Amino acid sequence: MEETPQANRLHIAIFGRRNAGKSSLINALTNQDLAVVSEVAGTTTDPVYKRMELLPIGPVVMIDTAGIDDVGELGSLRVKKTKEVLSRTDLAILVIDPEVGIDNYEKELLAEIKEREIPVIGVVNKEDKVKEINIRELAKELKIKLLQVSAITREGIEGLKKEIALKAPEKFEKPHIIGDMINPQDIVILVVPIDLAAPKGRLILPQVQTLRDILDNDGQAVVVKEGELKGALDSLNKEPKLVVTDSQVFKEVTADVPENIMLTGFSILFARYKGDLEILTKGVKGLDDLEIGNRVLIAESCTHHRTADDIGKVKIPRWLRQMVGGELEFEHVSGREFPDDLDNYDLIVQCGGCMTNRKEILYRLNKADSLGIPIINYGMLIAHVHGILDRALEPFPLAKRIWKQ
Ligand code: SF4
């Protein structure tokens, strides 16, 4: 909790062939030996994520990837993992080795980067070897600007940092969790259950971030457990603007909050902040169309400690089986895994994604939506299963309209 969470940092991914100098470029950019540099081609296997401060940009995550020209069975697995990184990349750097030049590897990767509308910077590393190729011709062929740098002598590194600052998308995360919904001095009640699933001695990230956003926007936050909510409402001499609750106690909280006070869930706030509330609202309809025997993918963005009554493994499958009145086929993925082929699923249930960035969640939502596969998140599923989605969407007029349609 002491530093900017990984999910809120600009994600810069470094791509290129094996031994193009990707790891040494990261070290040169950060002035530290963070990435292992080796003369042996193919040293970086799985993508490596490093949090750092990159001046003048601020907190970033640098992603060091395996070579796009890796070969063999293991090599193509690494290339696949490298390409998966694109789904969470805010800015791509393509490193070109002047000794080798370019080929289809670079062109195919660039085509994919452009298709996903990711800003890209081309870098010709090993400036001492640069005379071996014609940079202008290369830039023309790739249709991108190319910068010459040397990770060894650090020549051109400052220019690259400036280019990163220039190209970095301004809005790589949605600016507000709740701040745009409140005015200064508005009271917001946050309902935070302290149950077995709550981490010892601290609040979870979405709760802390919501609290911070209220304070940043000069609102007043009251934090209570669900059992104290009624007392808190009675003791306030002004009505709260909004009550935000953990989804798991939505039903109990709904009973305590008068109809004239807006009520929503952390997971619905984060569905909007992290992704697209409208796509998720459309996805809810897929829930109602679910039939016995259908296939459901449950995607969690981290590998958290699981409790006996785990939401993804136990509760959601139970609720869905009850809804359809029979068996369903469940598949679970966690962390950065997400299937390439979504055609086989009838419904995708995505977690709140508090540990990943907006780009990745949006990628998943858009991919499913473009294939016409309903995708929903935990909070909206819970709200719908308990019949309270209608109320939880009250603060969001567009989503509410889609829901009503
Ligand atoms: S499973 Fe998803 S919502 Fe739960 S902690 Fe991990 S990233 Fe956050």
Side-chain angles (χ1 to χ4, degrees):
M1 295 294 169
E2 283 159 13
E3 51 168 32
T4 309
Q6 175 149 325
N8 294 59
R9 293 165 175 256
L10 180 81
H11 283 50
I12 303 173
I14 318 281
F15 300 99
R17 293 191 197 205
R18 288 172 294 164
N19 227 7
K22 300 183 291 296
S23 303
S24 46
L25 184 69
I26 292 185
N27 290 344
L29 274 170
T30 55
N31 237 350
Q32 300 169 47
D33 286 339
L34 288 163
V36 181
V37 179
S38 165
E39 285 296 316
V40 183
T43 308
T44 307
T45 52
D46 279 355
V48 180
Y49 294 74
K50 294 278 178 195
R51 298 177 188 204
M52 59 190 66
E53 292 291 316
L54 185 64
L55 294 172
I57 299 123
V60 301
V61 174
M62 282 280 181
I63 313 173
D64 195 3
T65 63
I68 47 173
D69 58 337
D70 214 339
V71 285
E73 204 180 314
L74 258 182
S76 48
L77 203 70
R78 289 181 195 141
V79 174
K80 186 170 172 275
K81 287 194 170 178
T82 292
K83 290 197 173 167
E84 278 170 10
V85 165
L86 285 174
S87 66
R88 62 193 75 97
T89 300
D90 296 307
L91 177 78
I93 296 180
L94 175 64
V95 184
I96 292 161
D97 183 343
E99 286 178 288
V100 186
I102 58 158
D103 204 333
N104 278 345
Y105 295 119
E106 285 80 6
K107 288 180 187 166
E108 277 170 20
L109 183 77
L110 269 180
E112 210 165 320
I113 288 173
K114 284 185 180 165
E115 197 183 300
R116 292 172 186 241
E117 298 178 4
I118 300 169
V120 58
I121 301 171
V123 167
V124 180
N125 195 9
K126 307 180 184 174
E127 205 191 24
D128 40 323
K129 310 256 171 60
V130 125
K131 46 188 167 317
E132 291 168 27
I133 53 166
N134 184 332
I135 301 265
R136 283 180 100 183
E137 282 299 314
L138 207 60
K140 237 162 94 189
E141 199 176 338
L142 292 175
K143 299 192 186 73
I144 56 168
K145 182 175 169 184
L146 286 179
L147 301 180
Q148 296 177 32
V149 305
S150 168
I152 308 294
T153 64
R154 313 223 157 179
E155 192 82 32
I157 292 294
E158 284 312 308
L160 174 57
K161 283 191 195 174
K162 280 187 194 146
E163 190 69 13
I164 293 174
L166 216 67
K167 283 260 172 80
E170 258 175 62
K171 292 189 176 161
F172 64 94
E173 56 174 325
K174 207 172 165 75
H176 289 294
I177 297 166
I178 194 169
D180 55 332
M181 298 163 68
I182 58 170
N183 294 314
Q185 274 86 56
D186 275 350
I187 298 173
V188 180
I189 300 186
L190 304 180
V191 185
V192 173
I194 306 293
D195 55 14
L196 280 179
K200 220 172 173 207
R202 65 176 174 89
L203 300 180
I204 59 170
L205 197 54
Q207 295 158 351
V208 174
Q209 288 180 298
T210 307
L211 188 55
R212 174 63 195 260
D213 203 30
I214 295 169
L215 299 177
D216 280 344
N217 289 280
D218 304 323
Q220 300 169 1
V222 177
V223 185
V224 293
K225 292 190 285 187
E226 65 277 25
E228 321 303 323
L229 174 61
K230 218 164 180 324
L233 282 166
D234 290 343
S235 65
L236 290 172
N237 55 13
K238 183 171 112 178
E239 250 178 27
K241 173 78 178 274
L242 187 66
V243 176
V244 183
T245 179
D246 185 284
S247 311
Q248 304 206 43
V249 290
F250 218 123
K251 208 171 173 186
E252 297 89 307
V253 168
T254 310
D256 284 341
V257 181
E259 285 287 333
N260 61 317
I261 297 174
M262 285 199 293
L263 167 67
T264 194
F266 285 104
S267 44
I268 289 175
L269 287 183
F270 273 76
R272 185 181 77 122
Y273 175 61
K274 278 287 163 105
D276 187 313
L277 194 54
E278 286 75 39
I279 292 181
L280 290 165
T281 306
K282 275 201 285 174
V284 183
K285 301 204 183 287
L287 262 185
D288 298 329
D289 295 340
L290 211 58
E291 291 172 358
I292 296 173
N294 278 173
R295 290 190 77 200
V296 180
L297 174 71
I298 300 188
E300 297 199 319
S301 295
C302 78
T303 48
H304 63 282
H305 170 72
R306 298 193 192 284
T307 55
D309 207 20
D310 187 73
I311 179 128
K313 285 272 184 198
V314 183
K315 283 186 178 164
I316 289 180
R318 187 171 65 220
W319 288 327
L320 294 183
R321 280 190 205 105
Q322 279 167 1
M323 267 185 70
V324 299
E327 259 318 312
L328 290 160
E329 214 182 303
F330 290 99
E331 203 177 304
H332 292 82
V333 290
S334 61
R336 298 188 172 108
E337 281 173 74
F338 195 67
D340 281 336
D341 189 3
L342 298 180
D343 279 331
N344 294 328
Y345 303 106
D346 300 290
L347 176 73
I348 300 171
V349 186
Q350 166 67 45
C351 77
C354 64
M355 305 298 279
T356 190
N357 66 352
R358 182 163 194 250
K359 185 106 195 176
E360 176 147 50
I361 298 289
L362 273 181
Y363 169 73
R364 292 180 177 193
L365 299 188
N366 286 325
K367 186 169 173 178
D369 192 46
S370 65
L371 294 168
I373 297 160
I375 182 161
I376 185 172
N377 81 340
Y378 281 11
M380 296 185 74
L381 183 147
I382 295 166
H384 185 48
V385 166
H386 291 121
I388 47 187
L389 186 63
D390 201 50
R391 179 141 189 217
L393 287 180
E394 201 65 63
F396 312 102
L398 179 56
K400 178 86 185 198
R401 247 196 342 265
I402 293 172
W403 170 241
K404 284 283 175 208
Q405 279 163 8

